[in-house]
mmCIF file of all heavy atoms in Angstrom:
data_model
loop_
_atom_site.group_PDB
_atom_site.id
_atom_site.type_symbol
_atom_site.label_atom_id
_atom_site.label_comp_id
_atom_site.label_asym_id
_atom_site.label_seq_id
_atom_site.Cartn_x
_atom_site.Cartn_y
_atom_site.Cartn_z
ATOM 1 N N LEU A 33 -39.884 -1.869 39.476
ATOM 2 C CA LEU A 33 -40.181 -2.743 38.346
ATOM 3 C C LEU A 33 -41.655 -3.135 38.295
ATOM 4 O O LEU A 33 -42.192 -3.433 37.225
ATOM 5 C CB LEU A 33 -39.298 -3.993 38.400
ATOM 6 C CG LEU A 33 -37.810 -3.746 38.129
ATOM 7 C CD1 LEU A 33 -37.011 -5.021 38.313
ATOM 8 C CD2 LEU A 33 -37.605 -3.181 36.725
ATOM 9 N N ILE A 34 -42.306 -3.124 39.445
ATOM 10 C CA ILE A 34 -43.760 -3.329 39.465
ATOM 11 C C ILE A 34 -44.468 -2.087 38.922
ATOM 12 O O ILE A 34 -45.388 -2.167 38.110
ATOM 13 C CB ILE A 34 -44.241 -3.647 40.895
ATOM 14 C CG1 ILE A 34 -43.679 -4.996 41.359
ATOM 15 C CG2 ILE A 34 -45.768 -3.647 40.960
ATOM 16 C CD1 ILE A 34 -43.919 -5.292 42.830
ATOM 17 N N THR A 35 -44.009 -0.925 39.365
ATOM 18 C CA THR A 35 -44.615 0.341 38.943
ATOM 19 C C THR A 35 -44.339 0.622 37.473
ATOM 20 O O THR A 35 -45.213 1.110 36.752
ATOM 21 C CB THR A 35 -44.061 1.507 39.790
ATOM 22 O OG1 THR A 35 -44.308 1.247 41.166
ATOM 23 C CG2 THR A 35 -44.709 2.829 39.394
ATOM 24 N N CYS A 36 -43.120 0.315 37.036
ATOM 25 C CA CYS A 36 -42.697 0.694 35.687
ATOM 26 C C CYS A 36 -41.940 -0.475 35.035
ATOM 27 O O CYS A 36 -40.707 -0.489 35.004
ATOM 28 C CB CYS A 36 -41.806 1.934 35.764
ATOM 29 S SG CYS A 36 -41.425 2.674 34.178
ATOM 30 N N PRO A 37 -42.665 -1.460 34.520
ATOM 31 C CA PRO A 37 -42.013 -2.638 33.938
ATOM 32 C C PRO A 37 -41.239 -2.360 32.657
ATOM 33 O O PRO A 37 -40.544 -3.246 32.155
ATOM 34 C CB PRO A 37 -43.194 -3.589 33.674
ATOM 35 C CG PRO A 37 -44.397 -2.720 33.615
ATOM 36 C CD PRO A 37 -44.131 -1.584 34.531
ATOM 37 N N SER A 38 -41.333 -1.139 32.132
ATOM 38 C CA SER A 38 -40.585 -0.775 30.919
ATOM 39 C C SER A 38 -39.118 -0.457 31.210
ATOM 40 O O SER A 38 -38.347 -0.165 30.295
ATOM 41 C CB SER A 38 -41.241 0.431 30.242
ATOM 42 O OG SER A 38 -41.325 1.523 31.145
ATOM 43 N N ILE A 39 -38.704 -0.489 32.483
ATOM 44 C CA ILE A 39 -37.302 -0.249 32.835
ATOM 45 C C ILE A 39 -36.432 -1.344 32.210
ATOM 46 O O ILE A 39 -36.681 -2.534 32.405
ATOM 47 C CB ILE A 39 -37.120 -0.218 34.366
ATOM 48 C CG1 ILE A 39 -37.792 1.032 34.956
ATOM 49 C CG2 ILE A 39 -35.632 -0.249 34.745
ATOM 50 C CD1 ILE A 39 -37.899 1.014 36.475
ATOM 51 N N GLN A 40 -35.407 -0.922 31.472
ATOM 52 C CA GLN A 40 -34.543 -1.863 30.762
ATOM 53 C C GLN A 40 -33.070 -1.748 31.135
ATOM 54 O O GLN A 40 -32.233 -2.480 30.603
ATOM 55 C CB GLN A 40 -34.690 -1.654 29.249
ATOM 56 C CG GLN A 40 -36.082 -1.951 28.723
ATOM 57 C CD GLN A 40 -36.471 -3.414 28.883
ATOM 58 O OE1 GLN A 40 -35.716 -4.300 28.519
ATOM 59 N NE2 GLN A 40 -37.640 -3.663 29.464
ATOM 60 N N ALA A 41 -32.730 -0.821 32.027
ATOM 61 C CA ALA A 41 -31.341 -0.666 32.472
ATOM 62 C C ALA A 41 -31.352 0.020 33.830
ATOM 63 O O ALA A 41 -32.263 0.809 34.137
ATOM 64 C CB ALA A 41 -30.516 0.150 31.475
ATOM 65 N N ILE A 42 -30.343 -0.283 34.637
ATOM 66 C CA ILE A 42 -30.248 0.286 35.989
ATOM 67 C C ILE A 42 -28.851 0.843 36.195
ATOM 68 O O ILE A 42 -27.848 0.183 35.878
ATOM 69 C CB ILE A 42 -30.538 -0.786 37.056
ATOM 70 C CG1 ILE A 42 -31.947 -1.360 36.876
ATOM 71 C CG2 ILE A 42 -30.401 -0.200 38.471
ATOM 72 C CD1 ILE A 42 -32.249 -2.550 37.773
ATOM 73 N N GLY A 43 -28.774 2.055 36.741
ATOM 74 C CA GLY A 43 -27.495 2.678 37.057
ATOM 75 C C GLY A 43 -27.421 3.040 38.530
ATOM 76 O O GLY A 43 -28.344 3.666 39.072
ATOM 77 N N PHE A 44 -26.342 2.622 39.180
ATOM 78 C CA PHE A 44 -26.105 2.948 40.587
ATOM 79 C C PHE A 44 -25.034 4.034 40.682
ATOM 80 O O PHE A 44 -23.937 3.883 40.129
ATOM 81 C CB PHE A 44 -25.609 1.726 41.361
ATOM 82 C CG PHE A 44 -26.599 0.608 41.476
ATOM 83 C CD1 PHE A 44 -26.554 -0.464 40.610
ATOM 84 C CD2 PHE A 44 -27.588 0.630 42.451
ATOM 85 C CE1 PHE A 44 -27.465 -1.501 40.709
ATOM 86 C CE2 PHE A 44 -28.506 -0.397 42.559
ATOM 87 C CZ PHE A 44 -28.448 -1.464 41.688
ATOM 88 N N GLY A 45 -25.329 5.096 41.393
ATOM 89 C CA GLY A 45 -24.326 6.094 41.714
ATOM 90 C C GLY A 45 -23.866 5.853 43.139
ATOM 91 O O GLY A 45 -24.611 6.100 44.089
ATOM 92 N N LEU A 46 -22.645 5.345 43.284
ATOM 93 C CA LEU A 46 -22.149 4.976 44.611
ATOM 94 C C LEU A 46 -20.744 5.529 44.821
ATOM 95 O O LEU A 46 -19.870 5.358 43.954
ATOM 96 C CB LEU A 46 -22.113 3.454 44.774
ATOM 97 C CG LEU A 46 -23.462 2.732 44.804
ATOM 98 C CD1 LEU A 46 -23.260 1.223 44.731
ATOM 99 C CD2 LEU A 46 -24.220 3.092 46.078
ATOM 100 N N PRO A 47 -20.493 6.183 45.961
ATOM 101 C CA PRO A 47 -19.132 6.621 46.264
ATOM 102 C C PRO A 47 -18.270 5.405 46.560
ATOM 103 O O PRO A 47 -18.596 4.586 47.421
ATOM 104 C CB PRO A 47 -19.309 7.503 47.503
ATOM 105 C CG PRO A 47 -20.568 7.009 48.148
ATOM 106 C CD PRO A 47 -21.444 6.532 47.024
ATOM 107 N N GLY A 48 -17.183 5.268 45.835
ATOM 108 C CA GLY A 48 -16.319 4.114 46.040
ATOM 109 C C GLY A 48 -15.781 3.584 44.730
ATOM 110 O O GLY A 48 -15.957 4.197 43.680
ATOM 111 N N THR A 49 -15.158 2.424 44.801
ATOM 112 C CA THR A 49 -14.493 1.844 43.640
ATOM 113 C C THR A 49 -14.784 0.358 43.566
ATOM 114 O O THR A 49 -14.671 -0.353 44.570
ATOM 115 C CB THR A 49 -12.963 2.045 43.723
ATOM 116 O OG1 THR A 49 -12.680 3.444 43.781
ATOM 117 C CG2 THR A 49 -12.257 1.437 42.524
ATOM 118 N N GLU A 50 -15.151 -0.102 42.382
ATOM 119 C CA GLU A 50 -15.343 -1.524 42.139
ATOM 120 C C GLU A 50 -14.212 -2.017 41.244
ATOM 121 O O GLU A 50 -13.930 -1.432 40.199
ATOM 122 C CB GLU A 50 -16.700 -1.787 41.477
ATOM 123 C CG GLU A 50 -17.076 -3.260 41.451
ATOM 124 C CD GLU A 50 -18.481 -3.496 40.939
ATOM 125 O OE1 GLU A 50 -18.800 -2.965 39.854
ATOM 126 O OE2 GLU A 50 -19.259 -4.197 41.606
ATOM 127 N N TYR A 51 -13.556 -3.083 41.650
ATOM 128 C CA TYR A 51 -12.450 -3.638 40.870
ATOM 129 C C TYR A 51 -12.541 -5.154 40.884
ATOM 130 O O TYR A 51 -12.768 -5.758 41.933
ATOM 131 C CB TYR A 51 -11.099 -3.193 41.439
ATOM 132 C CG TYR A 51 -9.910 -3.800 40.719
ATOM 133 C CD1 TYR A 51 -9.661 -3.486 39.385
ATOM 134 C CD2 TYR A 51 -9.067 -4.688 41.364
ATOM 135 C CE1 TYR A 51 -8.582 -4.033 38.719
ATOM 136 C CE2 TYR A 51 -7.982 -5.246 40.703
ATOM 137 C CZ TYR A 51 -7.746 -4.915 39.378
ATOM 138 O OH TYR A 51 -6.685 -5.467 38.709
ATOM 139 N N ASP A 52 -12.356 -5.737 39.701
ATOM 140 C CA ASP A 52 -12.401 -7.191 39.565
ATOM 141 C C ASP A 52 -13.709 -7.748 40.133
ATOM 142 O O ASP A 52 -13.729 -8.806 40.771
ATOM 143 C CB ASP A 52 -11.198 -7.822 40.251
ATOM 144 C CG ASP A 52 -10.929 -9.248 39.761
ATOM 145 O OD1 ASP A 52 -11.373 -9.573 38.652
ATOM 146 O OD2 ASP A 52 -10.286 -10.019 40.501
ATOM 147 N N GLY A 53 -14.796 -6.969 39.916
ATOM 148 C CA GLY A 53 -16.121 -7.442 40.297
ATOM 149 C C GLY A 53 -16.531 -7.209 41.738
ATOM 150 O O GLY A 53 -17.623 -7.607 42.142
ATOM 151 N N GLN A 54 -15.678 -6.545 42.544
ATOM 152 C CA GLN A 54 -16.014 -6.330 43.948
ATOM 153 C C GLN A 54 -15.718 -4.896 44.365
ATOM 154 O O GLN A 54 -14.825 -4.243 43.819
ATOM 155 C CB GLN A 54 -15.226 -7.286 44.854
ATOM 156 C CG GLN A 54 -15.586 -8.749 44.674
ATOM 157 C CD GLN A 54 -14.881 -9.631 45.692
ATOM 158 O OE1 GLN A 54 -13.876 -9.246 46.270
ATOM 159 N NE2 GLN A 54 -15.429 -10.816 45.929
ATOM 160 N N MET A 55 -16.483 -4.410 45.333
ATOM 161 C CA MET A 55 -16.245 -3.085 45.889
ATOM 162 C C MET A 55 -15.003 -3.133 46.777
ATOM 163 O O MET A 55 -14.969 -3.852 47.780
ATOM 164 C CB MET A 55 -17.442 -2.630 46.719
ATOM 165 C CG MET A 55 -18.705 -2.370 45.925
ATOM 166 S SD MET A 55 -18.604 -0.889 44.891
ATOM 167 C CE MET A 55 -18.608 0.410 46.131
ATOM 168 N N ILE A 56 -13.968 -2.391 46.391
ATOM 169 C CA ILE A 56 -12.739 -2.355 47.187
ATOM 170 C C ILE A 56 -12.648 -1.076 48.012
ATOM 171 O O ILE A 56 -11.883 -1.015 48.972
ATOM 172 C CB ILE A 56 -11.485 -2.515 46.310
ATOM 173 C CG1 ILE A 56 -11.401 -1.382 45.263
ATOM 174 C CG2 ILE A 56 -11.466 -3.872 45.631
ATOM 175 C CD1 ILE A 56 -10.089 -1.343 44.508
ATOM 176 N N VAL A 57 -13.415 -0.056 47.628
ATOM 177 C CA VAL A 57 -13.515 1.190 48.395
ATOM 178 C C VAL A 57 -14.986 1.575 48.426
ATOM 179 O O VAL A 57 -15.659 1.553 47.400
ATOM 180 C CB VAL A 57 -12.694 2.331 47.746
ATOM 181 C CG1 VAL A 57 -12.883 3.626 48.528
ATOM 182 C CG2 VAL A 57 -11.222 1.973 47.657
ATOM 183 N N SER A 58 -15.510 1.873 49.611
ATOM 184 C CA SER A 58 -16.906 2.287 49.710
ATOM 185 C C SER A 58 -17.126 3.055 51.008
ATOM 186 O O SER A 58 -16.558 2.715 52.043
ATOM 187 C CB SER A 58 -17.844 1.073 49.672
ATOM 188 O OG SER A 58 -19.200 1.483 49.833
ATOM 189 N N ASP A 59 -17.974 4.094 50.914
ATOM 190 C CA ASP A 59 -18.381 4.803 52.127
ATOM 191 C C ASP A 59 -19.368 3.977 52.943
ATOM 192 O O ASP A 59 -19.645 4.307 54.091
ATOM 193 C CB ASP A 59 -19.024 6.152 51.761
ATOM 194 C CG ASP A 59 -18.009 7.154 51.231
ATOM 195 O OD1 ASP A 59 -16.796 6.905 51.392
ATOM 196 O OD2 ASP A 59 -18.432 8.179 50.661
ATOM 197 N N TYR A 60 -19.911 2.915 52.342
ATOM 198 C CA TYR A 60 -20.907 2.072 53.003
ATOM 199 C C TYR A 60 -20.319 0.688 53.239
ATOM 200 O O TYR A 60 -20.104 -0.080 52.302
ATOM 201 C CB TYR A 60 -22.179 2.007 52.157
ATOM 202 C CG TYR A 60 -22.758 3.382 51.903
ATOM 203 C CD1 TYR A 60 -22.612 4.007 50.664
ATOM 204 C CD2 TYR A 60 -23.406 4.078 52.919
ATOM 205 C CE1 TYR A 60 -23.122 5.282 50.445
ATOM 206 C CE2 TYR A 60 -23.915 5.354 52.705
ATOM 207 C CZ TYR A 60 -23.769 5.953 51.470
ATOM 208 O OH TYR A 60 -24.258 7.225 51.270
ATOM 209 N N LYS A 61 -20.059 0.381 54.504
ATOM 210 C CA LYS A 61 -19.307 -0.826 54.867
ATOM 211 C C LYS A 61 -19.996 -2.109 54.414
ATOM 212 O O LYS A 61 -19.335 -3.118 54.160
ATOM 213 C CB LYS A 61 -19.057 -0.863 56.375
ATOM 214 C CG LYS A 61 -20.309 -0.869 57.248
ATOM 215 C CD LYS A 61 -19.954 -0.882 58.729
ATOM 216 C CE LYS A 61 -21.189 -0.862 59.623
ATOM 217 N NZ LYS A 61 -22.072 -2.024 59.400
ATOM 218 N N ASP A 62 -21.333 -2.097 54.311
ATOM 219 C CA ASP A 62 -22.056 -3.301 53.914
ATOM 220 C C ASP A 62 -21.848 -3.656 52.447
ATOM 221 O O ASP A 62 -22.240 -4.747 52.005
ATOM 222 C CB ASP A 62 -23.556 -3.142 54.185
ATOM 223 C CG ASP A 62 -23.872 -3.118 55.673
ATOM 224 O OD1 ASP A 62 -23.184 -3.819 56.429
ATOM 225 O OD2 ASP A 62 -24.795 -2.394 56.085
ATOM 226 N N LEU A 63 -21.239 -2.758 51.685
ATOM 227 C CA LEU A 63 -20.985 -3.038 50.273
ATOM 228 C C LEU A 63 -19.536 -3.450 50.006
ATOM 229 O O LEU A 63 -19.219 -3.900 48.902
ATOM 230 C CB LEU A 63 -21.339 -1.816 49.414
ATOM 231 C CG LEU A 63 -22.820 -1.413 49.376
ATOM 232 C CD1 LEU A 63 -23.007 -0.198 48.475
ATOM 233 C CD2 LEU A 63 -23.694 -2.561 48.918
ATOM 234 N N LEU A 64 -18.662 -3.299 50.989
ATOM 235 C CA LEU A 64 -17.257 -3.671 50.794
ATOM 236 C C LEU A 64 -17.138 -5.176 50.517
ATOM 237 O O LEU A 64 -17.711 -6.006 51.220
ATOM 238 C CB LEU A 64 -16.430 -3.308 52.028
ATOM 239 C CG LEU A 64 -16.061 -1.834 52.183
ATOM 240 C CD1 LEU A 64 -15.426 -1.584 53.546
ATOM 241 C CD2 LEU A 64 -15.108 -1.397 51.068
ATOM 242 N N GLY A 65 -16.397 -5.503 49.472
ATOM 243 C CA GLY A 65 -16.209 -6.901 49.099
ATOM 244 C C GLY A 65 -17.387 -7.508 48.372
ATOM 245 O O GLY A 65 -17.371 -8.707 48.051
ATOM 246 N N VAL A 66 -18.417 -6.716 48.072
ATOM 247 C CA VAL A 66 -19.634 -7.215 47.432
ATOM 248 C C VAL A 66 -19.568 -6.985 45.921
ATOM 249 O O VAL A 66 -19.076 -5.951 45.457
ATOM 250 C CB VAL A 66 -20.880 -6.510 48.014
ATOM 251 C CG1 VAL A 66 -22.142 -6.919 47.266
ATOM 252 C CG2 VAL A 66 -21.005 -6.823 49.502
ATOM 253 N N SER A 67 -20.070 -7.933 45.165
ATOM 254 C CA SER A 67 -20.147 -7.810 43.700
ATOM 255 C C SER A 67 -21.490 -7.171 43.342
ATOM 256 O O SER A 67 -22.453 -7.858 42.983
ATOM 257 C CB SER A 67 -20.009 -9.182 43.039
ATOM 258 O OG SER A 67 -18.782 -9.785 43.387
ATOM 259 N N VAL A 68 -21.559 -5.854 43.455
ATOM 260 C CA VAL A 68 -22.825 -5.144 43.302
ATOM 261 C C VAL A 68 -23.388 -5.310 41.896
ATOM 262 O O VAL A 68 -24.535 -5.747 41.709
ATOM 263 C CB VAL A 68 -22.661 -3.648 43.644
ATOM 264 C CG1 VAL A 68 -23.971 -2.897 43.390
ATOM 265 C CG2 VAL A 68 -22.231 -3.475 45.090
ATOM 266 N N THR A 69 -22.612 -4.966 40.876
ATOM 267 C CA THR A 69 -23.148 -5.002 39.515
ATOM 268 C C THR A 69 -23.487 -6.432 39.086
ATOM 269 O O THR A 69 -24.516 -6.674 38.451
ATOM 270 C CB THR A 69 -22.166 -4.372 38.517
ATOM 271 O OG1 THR A 69 -20.884 -4.991 38.650
ATOM 272 C CG2 THR A 69 -22.027 -2.887 38.766
ATOM 273 N N GLU A 70 -22.633 -7.398 39.423
ATOM 274 C CA GLU A 70 -22.883 -8.774 39.014
ATOM 275 C C GLU A 70 -24.133 -9.333 39.700
ATOM 276 O O GLU A 70 -24.933 -10.060 39.088
ATOM 277 C CB GLU A 70 -21.676 -9.650 39.334
ATOM 278 C CG GLU A 70 -21.807 -11.094 38.854
ATOM 279 C CD GLU A 70 -22.053 -11.187 37.366
ATOM 280 O OE1 GLU A 70 -21.545 -10.337 36.607
ATOM 281 O OE2 GLU A 70 -22.779 -12.126 36.947
ATOM 282 N N TYR A 71 -24.325 -8.983 40.981
ATOM 283 C CA TYR A 71 -25.503 -9.453 41.708
ATOM 284 C C TYR A 71 -26.786 -8.988 41.019
ATOM 285 O O TYR A 71 -27.707 -9.786 40.762
ATOM 286 C CB TYR A 71 -25.472 -8.958 43.148
ATOM 287 C CG TYR A 71 -26.727 -9.276 43.927
ATOM 288 C CD1 TYR A 71 -26.895 -10.514 44.543
ATOM 289 C CD2 TYR A 71 -27.760 -8.342 44.044
ATOM 290 C CE1 TYR A 71 -28.057 -10.817 45.256
ATOM 291 C CE2 TYR A 71 -28.917 -8.631 44.748
ATOM 292 C CZ TYR A 71 -29.057 -9.866 45.354
ATOM 293 O OH TYR A 71 -30.214 -10.162 46.037
ATOM 294 N N PHE A 72 -26.858 -7.698 40.706
ATOM 295 C CA PHE A 72 -28.086 -7.166 40.125
ATOM 296 C C PHE A 72 -28.222 -7.534 38.646
ATOM 297 O O PHE A 72 -29.340 -7.678 38.147
ATOM 298 C CB PHE A 72 -28.153 -5.657 40.335
ATOM 299 C CG PHE A 72 -28.434 -5.280 41.762
ATOM 300 C CD1 PHE A 72 -27.455 -4.694 42.556
ATOM 301 C CD2 PHE A 72 -29.670 -5.537 42.327
ATOM 302 C CE1 PHE A 72 -27.705 -4.366 43.878
ATOM 303 C CE2 PHE A 72 -29.938 -5.208 43.649
ATOM 304 C CZ PHE A 72 -28.952 -4.627 44.431
ATOM 305 N N ARG A 73 -27.104 -7.703 37.954
ATOM 306 C CA ARG A 73 -27.177 -8.146 36.558
ATOM 307 C C ARG A 73 -27.767 -9.554 36.481
ATOM 308 O O ARG A 73 -28.597 -9.857 35.617
ATOM 309 C CB ARG A 73 -25.789 -8.112 35.927
ATOM 310 C CG ARG A 73 -25.794 -8.317 34.412
ATOM 311 C CD ARG A 73 -24.382 -8.215 33.850
ATOM 312 N NE ARG A 73 -23.867 -6.858 33.985
ATOM 313 C CZ ARG A 73 -22.763 -6.548 34.667
ATOM 314 N NH1 ARG A 73 -22.075 -7.501 35.286
ATOM 315 N NH2 ARG A 73 -22.349 -5.301 34.731
ATOM 316 N N THR A 74 -27.355 -10.409 37.396
ATOM 317 C CA THR A 74 -27.877 -11.770 37.437
ATOM 318 C C THR A 74 -29.342 -11.780 37.860
ATOM 319 O O THR A 74 -30.167 -12.511 37.298
ATOM 320 C CB THR A 74 -27.051 -12.629 38.413
ATOM 321 O OG1 THR A 74 -25.686 -12.663 37.973
ATOM 322 C CG2 THR A 74 -27.586 -14.046 38.492
#
């Protein structure tokens, strides 16, 4: 965002499943139970 402030949307490609705002399946244990999209949207 410092390099390119014209960025207006972000997409994450992550193996796993997000349901009801939280990661319920993930290959990366640090993301399990985390509200990834809501965190970065906020």
Side-chain angles (χ1 to χ4, degrees):
L33 291 176
I34 294 171
T35 303
C36 189
S38 57
I39 291 169
Q40 296 296 311
I42 300 172
F44 295 97
L46 293 170
T49 300
E50 191 174 51
Y51 177 65
D52 199 22
Q54 294 186 340
M55 293 289 290
I56 60 171
V57 177
S58 177
D59 289 346
Y60 302 104
K61 60 181 179 60
D62 291 325
L63 295 181
L64 283 172
V66 175
S67 301
V68 176
T69 53
E70 184 57 33
Y71 174 84
F72 288 110
R73 190 178 293 121
T74 300

